[in-house]
Amino acid sequence: MAKSLGPVKRKFSPWTDPTSVPFIRFENITKRFGNFTAVENLTLDIYEREFFALLGPSGCGKTTLMRMLAGFEEPTEGRILLQGKDLAGVPPYRRPTNMMFQSYALFPHMTVEKNIAFGLEQDKLPKAEIAARVEEMLKLVKLEQFAKRKPSQLSGGQRQRVALARSLAKRPKVLLLDEPLGALDKKLREETQFELTDLQHTLGLTFLIVTHDQEEAMTVSDRIAVMDKGVIMQVATPAEIYEAPNSRYVADFIGDINIIEGAIVSNSGAASGGVMLDCDGLKIAVDQECPASTGDRVAYAIRPEKVRLGIEPPADTAVNAAAGEVYDIGYLGDFSLFLVKLDDGRIIRAAQANIQRLVDRPLTFGDRVWVHWSRDAGLVLTR
Ligand SMILES: Nc1ncnc2c1ncn2[C@@H]1O[C@H](COP(=O)(O)OP(=O)(O)OP(=O)(O)O)[C@@H](O)[C@H]1O
Ligand SMILES: [Mg+2]
C-alpha cells in the first residue's frame, strides 16, 4: 500500500502552464511488431528537468517507448519530437539521450573507472577530459575509493551506481532508466531513490524512469504515466494519481482501494447534493461533479484509510454506512488493515493507524462493527 506520497516536492509544474513547450513529445506513436501492437496511438509530453515515471504491468510497452526515444526502434506511426525537432532517422549516438538498460551489464574485466570512461573513450574525448569526468562521476555516486576495483568486487548497489555513473558520464540531456533499482534490496533501493532525485535536481537533467514499484514511482517522480496494453490510462502527479484516479484500472493499480460497483440514482452536481449511488442496496452519497446520468453503471472507489471503523453505529446509518463483522486483520506495523465482511457478504477494507488508545478495547475477529465514510472520502469512477 502506498502510504506516503514521497518527500515534499519542489515547486515544478510546467505542464500546468499553457505557454511552456514540452521537451519531449510523443505524438500519436504506434509501434507494431508484425501484427502485434505494442504501443497504440500514444501521445505524451515530457518537460525539461522533469522526473517522469512510466508505470504499468509487464508487457504494456514501457521499454518499447523508451527504446523509440533512444533511437533503438523506429515508431511504426507518429513522431517523436525533441525541443520541437523530429527525431526520425537520427541515430542513437546523435540523440541527447542515454539509456540505462533493464539488465545493465558492466564490463567484468574493466575497473570501475574504466567502465565509466568507456563511452567517453569511444567518443574519442581528450584524455584529460575523460579523467576529469570520471572523477566527477565517481564523486557524484560516492564511489571514489572503489575506482580501481572490478565489478565482481562490488556489492549489487555499488554496481548499480557504477552503471548510473556510466550512463551519466556522457552528459545526456535525457536519461532513460529502465528499472534502474531492480537489483537492490528495499533499504538500499530507498537510499538510492533519494540519491537519484538529488542527482537529477543537481544536474538539471530530464529523467524518464520505468519501474514496477509504484511506491518508488510515487517517491521519485514529478509525474507518472500509468500504462495498460500500449496505451496511457492517466498522466498526473503522484498525489493526483492516488487521490483522483480516472478509472477502475488506475485506482486498482495504485495502492490499496475498495471498488464497489453500482448505479447512479441521482446526479445534481457537487454544489447541490452531488451524486447518489445504489450499490446493490448500499446507498452511497458523493460530493463530486461527475459526467454520468441516472441509471449509468459506475464504480465507487474509496481508500481503506478513508473508511472509518467502529463498534457504535454512525449518526446516519442510511447512507455511506454498513454493518458487518471483522473477518480478517492484517497488522502492518504503523497501521492495521481490517477486512470487514458486510451482512451481504461483500468485503470492505478499512485501515486504522495503530495509535495506542487505552480506553478502547481493540477490535478483534468476529466483532460486530460499522464501517462508514464521509461524502468526500471516495470518488465515482465512470470507466
Ligand atoms: N522486438 C520485438 N519483437 C516482437 N515483440 C516485441 C519486441 N519487443 C517487444 N515486444 C513485445 O511488445 C510488448 C511490450 O514490450 P515491452 O518490452 O515494451 O514491455 P514492458 O512494458 O517493458 O514490460 P516489462 O515490464 O516486462 O519490462 C510485449 O508484449 C513484448 O513481447
Ligand atoms: Mg521493460
Side-chain angles (χ1 to χ4, degrees), residues 69-71 82 85 87 89-97 123 170:
L69 177 55
L82 191 109
K85 198 176 138 284
L87 286 175
V90 180
Y93 60 88
R94 290 202 184 275
R95 298 189 182 198
T97 50
D123 287 354
K170 291 179 77 169

Side-chain angles (χ1 to χ4, degrees), residues 28-225:
N28 303 106
I29 292 291
T30 293
K31 178 66 184 179
R32 286 189 208 98
F33 295 107
N35 53 19
F36 176 78
T37 306
V39 174
E40 194 170 357
N41 195 19
L42 179 148
T43 295
L44 172 66
D45 288 339
I46 297 173
Y47 292 85
E48 192 161 20
R49 294 167 176 252
E50 183 166 13
F51 202 133
F52 195 97
L54 292 173
L55 206 55
S58 185
C60 72
K62 306 178 296 292
T63 299
T64 304
L65 205 58
M66 275 194 170
R67 289 175 57 84
M68 286 190 282
L69 177 55
F72 301 117
E73 300 279 2
E74 284 293 326
T76 315
E77 284 164 28
R79 304 190 300 167
I80 302 176
L81 305 174
L82 191 109
Q83 290 177 302
K85 198 176 138 284
D86 193 343
L87 286 175
V90 180
Y93 60 88
R94 290 202 184 275
R95 298 189 182 198
T97 50
N98 205 346
M99 183 153 172
M100 182 173 153
F101 289 96
Q102 202 161 1
S103 47
Y104 65 91
L106 299 176
F107 302 112
H109 57 286
M110 290 185 192
T111 61
V112 166
E113 59 183 6
K114 283 284 178 199
N115 263 284
I116 298 174
F118 183 78
L120 306 174
E121 279 165 3
Q122 294 256 297
D123 287 354
K124 304 211 165 29
L125 257 65
K127 279 217 158 53
E129 188 170 347
I130 295 179
R133 275 213 218 165
V134 169
E135 200 186 315
E136 181 195 343
M137 287 303 130
L138 284 169
K139 207 164 148 196
L140 202 63
V141 297
K142 302 189 188 77
L143 287 176
E144 294 107 314
Q145 69 270 48
F146 299 104
K148 306 286 180 208
R149 288 210 198 165
K150 300 267 175 68
S152 61
Q153 299 165 314
L154 299 175
S155 74
Q158 289 160 347
R159 267 180 246 162
Q160 200 112 39
R161 274 155 41 206
V162 177
L164 194 61
R166 191 175 61 177
S167 321
L168 282 168
K170 291 179 77 169
R171 299 207 177 131
K173 285 200 184 118
V174 184
L175 187 60
L176 310 177
L177 300 158
D178 198 349
E179 297 265 358
L181 311 181
L184 306 186
D185 67 42
K186 192 160 170 57
K187 182 134 199 325
L188 194 54
R189 227 182 142 110
E190 279 166 9
E191 279 170 31
T192 317
Q193 283 165 10
F194 286 105
E195 285 166 17
L196 261 188
T197 37
D198 269 0
L199 263 176
Q200 194 249 355
H201 292 185
T202 314
L203 301 175
L205 303 179
T206 305
F207 275 22
L208 179 58
I209 190 175
V210 165
T211 170
H212 268 113
D213 179 339
Q214 36 161 295
E215 273 192 49
E216 180 168 290
M218 294 258 190
T219 306
V220 298
S221 57
D222 295 304
R223 283 189 306 161
I224 296 174

